[in-house]
Amino acid sequence: MSKQDFVYRGIRPDRKPSRPWASWHNHTGGHPRFSFCPTPGLSIARYRAAFEREPEAWASFAITDHAFSIAIPDPSRSWPHAWYDERATLEGFAASGETARRIEAYLEFGRGFRDGARFFLGMEIEADRAGRLAVPESALGAMDIVIASIHHNPGEPEKWIERHFNQIDRMIALPADIIGHPLRHLRAHSTPEKPLPAELIDETLDRLHRAGMGIEINAHYPQLQDDVALLRGAAARGMVVAFSLDLHYPEEFGNWRYFEDVVELAGVDYGALNLYDPSKRRRRLGA
Ligand SMILES: [Zn+2]
Ligand SMILES: [Zn+2]
């Protein structure tokens, strides 16, 4: 896919933002590369420019780079899932002190922009095959938001529903606030004409809700037919919702249109949504 494929135009490309949006999950691509997938032009300076270019569209951004690329500075040994089965990789970087240095460097990076109003600092985490994190759990306490995501879903193709729920149950066990793009790994099974089964989305929401985990409406791979049902179900249950561009490329800053479309098509009252609030996380952690 080219970067232009990630530009979302939506049902009304000429629409204006109905409100300034918070995007709770975003990456950076510049030095010192805390995420390997984005392009270098996706710098903090570019995020700052978004407030100037579209002031009516943006309230805040959280930078949530990947825990595994913070812990493993060698891209060939981390992305996309080289580390899942190679615990020795993580253990080697941890034993040498490199992981601790990278975590400190990430916090230092955050001190350059994090202000608790326009900019927040978080991490996108996941578990390896054995259910372990790439960074020590203690590193997450200082974050404004922790997002747990499924990026690797190996197994038998015909067991895709079973594998999905196994993955959801693994995510629930992680110390996270939000599950990121909770249906993206199922997108091959969904089309606008034939969305994911309603029961599958309901059961996913029920499991996350019982665990006190919020959900994300993620614009990086639009899946409108499923995200509309996801938002409707989350709203009905009073679950925490985070809207996220999941920015990988500067070309995606206009994808707030996806949030507008999902809210409009879901027919939910935006003002009544239980939106993600980092101050509640701080209170919960006793910080
Ligand atoms: Zn992700
Ligand atoms: Zn991401």
Side-chain angles (χ1 to χ4, degrees), residues 181-192:
H181 44 78
L183 305 173
R184 180 191 289 172
H185 54 288
L186 306 178
R187 69 187 188 281
H189 302 280
S190 174
T191 63

Side-chain angles (χ1 to χ4, degrees), residues 25 27 37 64 66 68 79 124-126 147-151 180-181 184 216 218 220 246 248:
H25 168 180
H27 297 280
C37 34
T64 53
H66 286 287
F68 63 79
W79 184 256
E124 184 174 14
I125 65 167
E126 61 217 277
I147 295 174
S149 304
I150 300 160
H151 293 112
H181 44 78
R184 180 191 289 172
E216 178 183 72
N218 187 301
H220 186 51
D246 194 5
H248 286 67

Side-chain angles (χ1 to χ4, degrees), residues 8 24 28 36 40 56 70 87 90 97 110 142 150 208 230 234 259:
Y8 180 80
W24 287 107
T28 60
F36 298 129
E56 65 291 344
I70 292 169
R87 192 66 192 176
L90 274 182
I150 300 160
L208 296 174
L230 188 71
F259 306 157

Side-chain angles (χ1 to χ4, degrees), residues 39-66:
T39 45
L42 192 57
S43 61
I44 296 300
R46 182 61 188 84
Y47 281 95
R48 289 193 195 286
F51 291 117
E52 310 296 323
R53 293 185 193 189
E54 283 192 294
E56 65 291 344
W58 293 117
S60 61
F61 294 101
I63 302 301
T64 53
D65 282 320
H66 286 287

